[in-house]
Amino acid sequence: MMSTHKSKKNMREYYRLLNLGEGCSADDVRESFHKLAKQYHPDSGSNTADSETFIRIEEAYRKVLSHVIEQTNARQNKVEETEEEEKIKYNTPQHRHYLSFEGIGFGTPSQREKQYRQFRADRATEQVMEYQKQKLQSQYFTDSVTIKDVRHSKKQKITQAIERLVEDLIQESMAKGDFDNLSGKGKPLKKFSGCSYIDPMTHNLNRILIDNGYQPEWILMQKEIKDTIDQLREAILASRKKLGNPMTPTEQKQWNQVCEQFQENIKKLNKRINDFNLIVPLLTRQKVHFDAQKEIARAQEIYESLIKTQEVTDKNPNNFDQGEGEKTPGVKTGFFNWMNVWQFIKI
């Protein structure tokens, strides 16, 4: 007890040296120490500079700062413990009856049950009245736009706008005289199919577009990609035919240049395929990239098959003059080799 009393007395003395009171913050302790250090530090150049006083102030600063931090931590721990106790406290739940009846009514459970039954009866009556009202409106006001569904109204507006646009385009073309020399002028259009689910106007518009050569963009791009890869395959095969077998160093260098140019063209074609995959409406219609190395190897295989076929033909030049019933095994072999070449070309 004597030591505890002595430590408390020393702590009050430390607070007094720093001109602070108990309950101050750590920032207050640091600020007070900085002010006193400017006054009593031996190197401060102040008239009140004193090394012994500064040593005492520094000791007081250390003790007080440690004491303030301990008190702050203790208060914080106490608050956290209080919060945990409040969380752990048992909260009595509401009575089970007050959690039912959709929150309708007040009073005892029996009173709330009667009020809830009345509420359900009133709600059912309102629903029946609303249903009868809608039925009468749909029966006597079928052409009124105000009672139609919002989606149906929007669809009707879009259809009317398209019809007006098409009508304006037709009238403009007729004014220019675009319809004067038509082969089918004055004759009825071909009837659409007998399917009752097809809109006649939509069917006729689509038929007119098809008859005049209109095609969607992705169809045209699909054809362009097919024609491009066919041309590239024919070009690299033709380039390989121009070179010898086996190739000389000069011809090998030319073949390498042809392959490099072919790879660049394949890269451009793959970019075109990316554009095609973005606009094609069906996922199954999307295309994969072409592999330049596989295409070069394919051209080389076709060329080797052609060489083998040519060798077989050169060995049996007289067999082609005989009749169909006297074909030799050499001709049959050449025929099968040509079939293999044709399969490569189709691939």
Side-chain angles (χ1 to χ4, degrees):
M1 290 178 64
M2 292 294 292
S3 61
T4 304
H5 178 71
K6 185 177 181 181
S7 61
K8 289 183 179 180
K9 185 177 180 180
N10 292 335
M11 189 59 65
R12 293 195 193 97
E13 181 67 21
Y14 293 145
Y15 275 101
R16 187 187 63 79
L17 285 173
L18 296 177
N19 298 323
L20 296 173
E22 294 185 6
C24 61
S25 63
D27 293 335
D28 295 336
V29 176
R30 295 188 184 96
E31 184 178 358
S32 178
F33 174 72
H34 291 160
K35 290 181 180 179
L36 295 174
K38 292 179 181 179
Q39 296 178 8
Y40 296 102
H41 196 278
D43 299 333
S44 64
S46 175
N47 296 329
T48 58
D50 187 5
S51 59
E52 295 182 1
T53 305
F54 177 74
I55 291 173
R56 292 172 57 196
I57 291 172
E58 185 179 9
E59 182 183 0
Y61 165 71
R62 296 179 185 279
K63 296 291 185 180
V64 171
L65 182 61
S66 177
H67 184 256
V68 169
I69 292 174
E70 289 178 0
Q71 287 184 338
T72 304
N73 293 335
R75 285 195 297 268
Q76 187 175 359
N77 294 334
K78 187 175 181 180
V79 170
E80 291 177 356
E81 291 176 359
T82 305
E83 291 178 353
E84 290 293 333
E85 290 178 358
E86 291 179 355
K87 289 180 182 179
I88 297 174
K89 281 183 179 179
Y90 177 77
N91 295 323
T92 305
Q94 290 182 328
H95 198 273
R96 185 175 297 275
H97 290 286
Y98 291 94
L99 297 176
S100 59
F101 307 127
E102 299 181 16
I104 302 299
F106 56 90
T108 62
S110 58
Q111 292 174 346
R112 293 184 69 246
E113 184 178 1
K114 292 180 181 179
Q115 295 171 13
Y116 179 63
R117 289 179 180 176
Q118 184 63 37
F119 168 76
R120 291 184 61 187
D122 295 340
R123 184 170 59 182
T125 303
E126 291 178 0
Q127 292 176 354
V128 171
M129 293 295 294
E130 184 66 24
Y131 171 75
Q132 292 178 352
K133 179 181 177 182
Q134 293 178 359
K135 185 176 180 180
L136 291 173
Q137 286 178 345
S138 62
Q139 183 177 358
Y140 294 101
F141 303 97
T142 55
D143 298 331
S144 179
V145 180
T146 57
I147 65 169
K148 291 184 178 180
D149 187 73
V150 177
R151 294 181 180 176
H152 182 68
S153 300
K154 290 182 179 179
K155 184 178 180 180
Q156 187 178 15
K157 291 179 182 178
I158 294 172
T159 304
Q160 293 175 356
I162 294 175
E163 291 176 354
R164 288 196 299 269
L165 176 61
V166 173
E167 186 65 26
D168 293 341
L169 293 175
I170 293 174
Q171 294 295 333
E172 183 180 354
S173 299
M174 291 177 64
K176 292 179 180 179
D178 295 339
F179 296 163
D180 294 340
N181 299 323
L182 294 178
S183 59
K185 182 180 180 181
K187 299 179 181 179
L189 294 173
K190 293 181 180 180
K191 292 185 178 181
F192 50 88
S193 62
C195 182
S196 60
Y197 296 101
I198 298 179
D199 181 27
M201 181 175 294
T202 304
H203 182 274
N204 289 333
L205 287 175
N206 291 334
R207 177 53 56 189
I208 291 170
L209 292 173
I210 293 172
D211 292 342
N212 286 274
Y214 172 79
Q215 291 181 346
E217 182 182 2
W218 68 273
I219 294 290
L220 298 175
M221 193 177 296
Q222 184 181 25
K223 184 179 179 182
E224 176 189 349
I225 292 171
K226 183 179 181 300
D227 294 342
T228 303
I229 189 61
D230 291 341
Q231 293 174 3
L232 292 176
R233 287 171 175 173
E234 292 176 1
I236 193 170
L237 183 59
S239 299
R240 182 64 188 91
K241 288 179 181 179
K242 293 178 182 179
L243 303 176
N245 186 32
M247 292 183 288
T248 62
T250 304
E251 291 175 342
Q252 184 66 41
K253 185 176 181 181
Q254 294 177 0
W255 174 248
N256 293 337
Q257 293 177 355
V258 171
C259 291
E260 290 178 1
Q261 183 61 38
F262 180 78
Q263 291 176 357
E264 291 295 328
N265 294 333
I266 289 294
K267 286 182 180 179
K268 295 179 182 179
L269 182 61
N270 288 335
K271 290 181 180 179
R272 194 65 175 162
I273 290 174
N274 291 338
D275 298 336
F276 170 79
N277 291 337
L278 291 175
I279 64 173
V280 65
L282 300 176
L283 186 63
T284 55
R285 291 283 185 175
Q286 291 190 346
K287 295 181 175 294
V288 296
H289 287 183
F290 291 101
D291 190 344
Q293 297 298 329
K294 290 183 179 180
E295 294 294 333
I296 294 172
R298 175 180 175 275
Q300 188 69 25
E301 291 177 0
I302 295 175
Y303 175 74
E304 292 176 357
S305 299
L306 290 172
I307 293 298
K308 292 179 181 179
T309 305
Q310 186 65 31
E311 291 176 355
V312 173
T313 305
D314 294 341
K315 290 179 181 179
N316 303 281
N318 298 325
N319 290 335
F320 292 97
D321 298 334
Q322 300 178 2
E324 293 183 358
E326 299 179 357
K327 291 182 180 179
T328 61
V331 175
K332 292 183 180 180
T333 305
F335 174 74
F336 286 119
N337 289 333
W338 278 108
M339 288 296 295
N340 292 332
V341 173
W342 177 247
Q343 288 178 359
F344 277 115
I345 294 175
K346 288 181 66 177
I347 294 173

